[in-house]
Amino acid sequence: MGNTTKFDELQVIGGEEWCVFEELGIPAIKARVDSGAKTSSIQANNVKVYNKGVEEWVKFEVNPIQENRSVTITCEAPLVDRRTVKSSVGISEERLVVKTSIKLGNNIHSVELTLANRDTMEYRMLLGREAINQRYIVNPAESYCMQNFSEEEIQEKYASHMAEKSGLTIALLASNPNLYSNKRIIEAGEARGHEVVFLNVENAYMKLDTKSPQIRYRGGNVLNKFDAVIPRIKPSVTFYGCALIRQFDNLGVYCLNTAEAITQSRDKLFASQLFSKNDIDIPITGFAKSPMDTKDLIRMVNGAPLIIKLLESTQGKGVVLAETNKAAESVINAFKSVQTNILVQEFIKEANGQDIRCFVVNGKVVASMQRQAQKGEFRANIHQGGVASLIKITSEERKLAVKAAKILNLAVAGVDIIRSNKGPLLLEVNSSPGLEGIEYATGLDIANVMIRAIEKKLNYTSN
Ligand SMILES: Nc1ncnc2c1ncn2[C@@H]1O[C@H](COP(=O)(O)OP(=O)(O)OP(=O)(O)O)[C@@H](O)[C@H]1O
Ligand SMILES: [Mg+2]
Ligand SMILES: [Mg+2]
């Protein structure tokens, strides 16, 4: 088995040692020397693989100081292996292995490090056999044989990192980082000096436990450094997304829109009931279970032409105009025959395919636009070819928008209003209103307004 080093050439290391990783930018990290482990490992969060030329590299974050998560070092190193490790319960997990140089006392040599989630462990690093063999001999009774750092020295080494973190750490909980709205939110957060981390709803999961509830991310990283969460939950993942938001909320993280508010706004029937209960005018709306009531349902909303809406619709996809009573009856009964919940609604003809979108943030209308449907179309949604333009809203409309957002308890809301002969009527309230149309129409930086709303709630002042 190769050359064996002479025993008296080996240096003695203790059961714990201070390691320095100059290439990773880690000035000192305490390691448990563990000859039982083959490869050395280090605690790593937000692990991301990327390409650097033809090589694969890994970017990851390390919290080098035990029991202190405020110091975060972002490290980069070449990826040398992906290993499958089996946990004690037999579940295989992939671990990335990187290569870098380690300094122990005055010795510098190359080392392979497994990136592990060691959050629950006392030491942020384990020094395994591969790093020890042929170089050191372990005396577990001793500590810091290679070099020791005092508390003051550690403080000094990390002083710049402690001062560096001035902005907030904000999570954007969504599904697609390339959507205009999401890109703008990240951009606006970073422009104000914050760190914005994109979290994919479907890659996050939770641990329910009274002592240490957690949110984890694919790969086992614990997400516990966030000051705030911006939820942008698409309708198909409402249930799961809201469960995650509740978990963040339980962990004391401020959420720009609560799970409860999002859930309420996603249910058009429930939201409409809340509106009518709170004296907010909406188009006359009916909801019935049995086809036997269809005829009266139609009469109730003043007959055709009338609107039929799927309960969970967005982008205007589930909104239908029935021109005659006969057509209305067959469409309503067709939906009922496939157990689909629908609302039947009075058609506001005089709106002429126009509606108004008010963007509400923390109780204020921060922007508004008019949307005009395409020719021959009654739905004004941008996704249905609607065209946005600037509009000056009346104070009555402004009050209506603010009140609707307040009743649903939404910090950020897209409130849709339609102008009728009876005055402005509330159409619906969206909890993840898009930014593209409204920023384009108004020229305003709405993403910036959202970020500043978080700063205000957290009493954050930049220096
Ligand atoms: N009762 C109505 N009378 C006239 N037009 C209506 C009525 N209800 C909806 N519309 C038109 O259809 C569009 C879509 O309706 P609504 O906003 O209720 O559906 P949605 O699918 O949830 O859209 P969103 O993408 O805004 O969430 C409205 O923006 C409006 O232009
Ligand atoms: Mg909607
Ligand atoms: Mg709408």
Side-chain angles (χ1 to χ4, degrees):
M1 295 260 340
N3 346 333
T4 30
T5 319
K6 282 199 208 98
F7 190 74
D8 55 10
E9 281 173 11
L10 298 175
Q11 279 180 284
V12 175
I13 57 170
E16 39 187 356
E17 288 291 342
W18 285 104
C19 304
V20 178
F21 293 94
E22 278 169 3
E23 290 170 353
L24 298 181
I26 299 175
I29 185 168
K30 200 187 279 181
R32 155 65 73 202
V33 175
D34 180 8
S35 57
K38 184 167 176 269
T39 313
S40 302
S41 61
I42 193 163
Q43 166 262 339
N45 289 322
N46 284 325
V47 178
K48 284 180 203 118
V49 178
Y50 66 97
N51 291 321
K52 197 167 182 171
V54 290
E55 280 180 62
E56 276 189 308
W57 277 58
V58 191
K59 194 170 185 170
F60 55 97
E61 290 173 3
V62 175
N63 303 119
I65 308 176
Q66 282 169 218
E67 282 156 25
N68 180 346
R69 299 199 47 103
S70 66
V71 173
T72 303
I73 311 258
T74 305
C75 308
E76 285 169 72
L79 177 68
V80 293
D81 201 7
R82 295 166 195 262
R83 280 178 209 155
T84 313
V85 291
K86 228 180 202 170
S87 72
S88 51
V89 291
I91 295 170
S92 300
E93 221 182 275
E94 187 189 66
R95 289 277 164 82
L96 303 180
V97 183
V98 297
K99 193 176 193 148
T100 190
S101 65
I102 184 171
K103 192 168 165 203
L104 267 166
N106 291 321
N107 309 336
I108 300 178
H109 53 84
S110 159
V111 69
E112 288 192 355
L113 289 176
T114 303
L115 303 183
N117 167 46
R118 304 187 50 79
D119 254 11
T120 49
M121 330 271 291
E122 194 189 346
Y123 293 88
R124 294 305 161 102
M125 191 191 154
L126 289 185
L127 197 66
R129 285 203 294 288
E130 286 173 342
I132 302 169
N133 279 354
Q134 318 287 329
R135 295 191 184 97
Y136 306 106
I137 179 160
V138 186
N139 179 359
E142 294 288 327
S143 283
Y144 319 121
C145 299
M146 300 302 293
Q147 99 190 100
N148 200 358
F149 296 132
S150 67
E151 187 62 37
E152 290 73 48
E153 283 172 297
I154 293 296
Q155 288 289 327
E156 200 185 299
K157 285 178 193 297
Y158 285 105
S160 66
H161 290 275
M162 297 189 185
E164 210 174 78
K165 195 198 176 300
S166 58
L168 299 168
T169 308
I170 301 171
L172 173 60
L173 186 64
S175 294
N176 180 357
N178 298 319
L179 278 187
Y180 175 92
S181 301
N182 294 336
K183 284 202 288 202
R184 286 285 301 117
I185 288 168
I186 294 171
E187 207 173 271
E190 288 175 350
R192 296 208 40 95
H194 307 305
E195 186 191 353
V196 186
V197 180
F198 182 87
L199 300 180
N200 193 319
V201 172
E202 286 168 63
N203 292 358
Y205 49 98
M206 56 211 116
K207 175 185 170 197
L208 312 181
D209 172 37
T210 40
K211 282 193 215 84
S212 61
Q214 287 178 337
I215 298 203
R216 290 173 172 254
Y217 205 66
R218 180 85 37 93
N221 300 320
V222 179
L223 304 177
N224 55 0
K225 62 168 188 174
F226 294 108
D227 300 301
V229 174
I230 302 177
R232 302 284 299 185
I233 310 296
K234 62 178 181 183
S236 59
V237 292
T238 302
F239 179 78
Y240 190 69
C242 285
L244 287 171
I245 298 166
R246 267 196 304 277
Q247 185 80 353
F248 272 117
D249 190 59
N250 290 346
L251 291 166
V253 182
Y254 172 66
C255 302
L256 192 66
N257 278 352
T258 62
E260 194 193 9
I262 296 170
T263 308
Q264 285 180 1
S265 70
R266 285 282 153 89
D267 180 341
K268 280 186 199 234
L269 176 63
F270 184 61
S272 300
Q273 286 177 313
L274 275 180
F275 298 143
S276 57
K277 182 177 155 190
N278 288 282
D279 292 323
I280 290 188
D281 291 322
I282 59 171
I284 302 169
T285 304
F287 185 67
K289 174 102 181 82
S290 166
M292 288 165 58
D293 303 313
T294 299
K295 280 205 166 73
D296 192 42
L297 203 59
I298 294 172
R299 261 196 300 275
M300 225 169 66
V301 300
N302 299 333
L306 56 77
I307 299 276
I308 298 161
K309 285 185 190 180
L310 295 184
L311 268 197
E312 279 164 34
S313 152
T314 57
Q315 304 175 352
K317 278 179 223 148
V319 183
V320 181
L321 175 66
E323 313 249 12
T324 65
N325 286 345
K326 265 251 144 324
E329 200 178 330
S330 45
V331 173
I332 293 168
N333 290 345
F335 277 127
K336 289 201 184 305
S337 74
V338 288
Q339 272 78 46
T340 302
N341 285 320
I342 48 161
L343 293 179
V344 177
Q345 197 168 73
E346 151 191 39
F347 177 51
I348 311 300
K349 189 165 182 281
E350 62 272 24
N352 282 322
Q354 291 173 347
D355 76 355
I356 297 168
R357 161 61 59 92
C358 296
F359 204 104
V360 180
V361 178
N362 276 346
K364 279 205 186 89
V365 176
V366 298
S368 51
M369 64 173 168
Q370 182 172 62
R371 295 179 298 195
Q372 169 72 57
Q374 251 179 356
K375 214 161 176 264
E377 169 64 64
F378 74 96
R379 293 167 299 180
N381 304 64
I382 307 286
H383 283 95
Q384 301 297 337
V387 177
S389 60
L390 268 180
I391 190 180
K392 195 166 160 39
I393 56 168
T394 65
S395 73
E396 193 186 359
E397 285 158 352
R398 185 176 298 274
K399 279 190 200 131
L400 178 63
V402 169
K403 191 171 174 187
K406 187 169 175 216
I407 280 160
L408 288 178
N409 200 18
L410 285 167
V412 172
V415 181
D416 292 347
I417 292 172
I418 195 164
R419 284 177 174 169
S420 80
N421 294 336
K422 299 179 267 185
L425 301 176
L426 181 71
L427 269 188
E428 65 155 350
V429 180
N430 293 284
S431 57
S432 294
L435 297 179
E436 190 165 12
I438 195 105
E439 287 196 339
Y440 185 75
T442 62
L444 296 171
D445 187 348
I446 307 296
N448 171 281
V449 176
M450 291 172 66
I451 300 295
R452 282 191 291 121
I454 294 174
E455 292 175 5
K456 196 161 172 217
K457 272 277 173 303
L458 298 180
N459 286 319
Y460 168 90
T461 41
S462 61
N463 28 30

